[in-house]
Amino acid sequence: MATADRTRKLGDDLTVSAIGFGAGALTSAYGDVDDAESLATLNRCLDLDVTFIDTADVYAGGSSERLIAKLLADRRNEVTLATKFGIASNPADSAPGERPVRGDAAYVRQCIDESLARLQTDVVDLYYMHRRDLTVSIEETVGAMAELVRAGKVRHLGLCEVTADELRAAVAVHPIAAVQSEWSIWSRDVELQVVPTAAELGVGFVPYSPLGRGFLTGTIRSAADLSSPSDFRHTMPRFADGALEANLAVVDVVSSVAQEQHATPAQVALAWLRHRAEALGVAAVPIPGTRRAARVEENLGSLSVTVTPGQLTALDAAGAAVAGNRTDDLTWVSAGRE
């Protein structure tokens, strides 16, 4: 595959690797972690030209950024580094109905300095507002982020889980390189308004959880496979009784296409997403996360998978039949505010 095919240009002239890496997978939220193994996986990403590395200040209380600092110590010039601010504490620790989100200008300035210190670098390539603070105008938040660009602490700006209207308001303040939201064959609500608006405005899209949350790991084939009542998936409507069975049917369609393509289900899911983004006219770079270097290689292999029109039709139909919302609190994501 030509080198050009391994990169994508998002908005604001930001060029990144065609597949990114979501470092949230390297936190204790998904079980015990081994920092040496995690660092080896990150280094393997760079060896494979998967250089768009995504983290956030809230991941493992800052530990994710500290881990990535070890990668940057020797290979900073190879990394397109993205991090986020805005979720002020672990949502699981908040009272019911409380949104632990801040977007005021003072907090924006505080967070970048703290992230730079943890990352041991002097600039972040892409800085995201992680969630929208509904008590603060988006103009204030993005205005403060724009100040960071002028100060040389940040190169490009991004927004997570914003609506089409919020995106328009933000772009009026400063160019936006990318919107990051959940987008996969199981989560397609962003296709209605946010993605078309991003395409119209020349803003790129960075899908997180592009493989579905647990559907393609091979670990969930029934409700009994949810590990415990504390498993985060128990709170997700798509894993509830009735919905789970319908949504596992999508796995069967993806797996069938994978057999026909001599590919893996994960590669087909990523290839579908690439085709869907192209159809909607938006530059999209998914950031699947994993703890194993072999999975990075597998995900990168999706760039060589081209599904047929008939397979696309079957996959689209399967995705359209997904049951349940992607979260139990839709105000937390763009779908609840559109």
Side-chain angles (χ1 to χ4, degrees):
M1 181 176 293
T3 301
D5 294 330
R6 295 292 184 101
T7 64
R8 297 285 186 273
K9 182 177 282 190
L10 300 174
D12 197 27
D13 289 326
L14 174 60
T15 297
V16 301
S17 56
I19 297 286
F21 181 84
L26 304 179
T27 69
S28 56
Y30 297 90
D32 293 338
V33 291
D34 182 304
D35 282 354
E37 180 183 16
S38 296
L39 191 57
T41 297
L42 287 167
N43 274 290
R44 185 57 178 154
C45 285
L46 301 191
D47 294 341
L48 294 168
D49 292 328
V50 176
T51 56
F52 184 33
I53 307 297
D54 179 279
T55 186
D57 60 356
V58 75
Y59 293 167
S63 294
S64 177
E65 289 183 328
R66 294 187 189 95
L67 173 68
I68 289 172
K70 298 178 182 179
L71 177 75
L72 301 180
D74 298 318
R75 308 184 72 172
R76 177 64 183 95
N77 64 345
E78 298 176 59
V79 176
T80 303
L81 173 65
T83 194
K84 314 177 193 73
F85 76 93
I87 299 180
S89 62
N90 186 340
D93 298 332
S94 302
E98 180 183 354
R99 291 171 56 84
V101 177
R102 283 185 63 182
D104 56 281
Y107 191 68
V108 174
R109 292 189 289 266
Q110 171 189 332
C111 286
I112 188 60
D113 289 339
E114 291 174 348
S115 283
L116 291 173
R118 283 188 292 266
L119 290 160
Q120 292 294 290
T121 190
D122 57 0
V123 65
V124 166
D125 298 301
L126 176 58
Y127 199 44
Y128 286 106
M129 177 189 76
H130 204 167
R131 285 295 188 277
R132 173 89 164 86
D133 183 349
L134 300 179
T135 70
V136 175
S137 74
I138 197 163
E139 288 84 359
E140 176 181 339
T141 305
V142 177
M145 295 168 71
E147 291 176 7
L148 304 182
V149 177
R150 291 190 287 272
K153 296 180 179 181
V154 168
R155 293 194 171 107
H156 301 273
L157 304 184
L159 307 168
C160 297
E161 292 291 357
V162 290
T163 66
D165 287 344
E166 290 165 349
L167 177 57
R168 290 186 188 280
V171 168
V173 176
H174 190 277
I176 300 298
V179 168
Q180 184 178 134
S181 287
E182 185 173 357
W183 189 12
S184 74
I185 195 169
W186 286 273
S187 296
R188 300 180 60 182
D189 54 88
V190 293
E191 295 180 21
L192 296 177
Q193 298 192 54
V194 186
V195 170
T197 300
E200 174 194 337
L201 298 174
V203 176
F205 215 90
V206 177
Y208 71 82
S209 298
L211 302 179
R213 301 195 196 189
F215 284 114
L216 290 183
T217 63
T219 59
I220 299 176
R221 294 303 304 173
S222 71
D225 293 327
L226 293 171
S227 58
S228 71
S230 63
D231 190 310
F232 75 97
R233 289 168 296 209
H234 276 284
T235 66
M236 297 175 62
R238 287 183 179 156
F239 290 88
D241 288 344
L244 178 59
E245 289 72 18
N247 297 331
L248 284 172
V250 183
V251 178
D252 295 333
V253 176
V254 172
S255 298
S256 176
V257 172
Q259 275 193 316
E260 296 170 1
Q261 283 282 340
H262 303 290
T264 68
Q267 288 172 338
V268 167
L270 290 170
W272 172 87
L273 185 54
R274 186 179 74 248
H275 284 285
R276 190 69 189 132
E278 290 171 355
L280 292 170
V282 70
V285 176
I287 50 168
T290 180
R291 298 184 174 191
R292 292 187 288 171
R295 292 299 186 195
V296 178
E297 298 176 25
E298 176 185 348
N299 294 336
L300 189 61
S302 69
L303 298 176
S304 299
V305 176
T306 302
V307 293
T308 68
Q311 290 167 341
L312 277 176
T313 297
L315 291 166
D316 286 345
V322 166
N325 294 320
R326 58 184 168 105
T327 178
D328 60 347
D329 181 3
L330 283 179
T331 64
W332 189 245
V333 297
S334 60
R337 302 193 309 278
E338 289 284 13

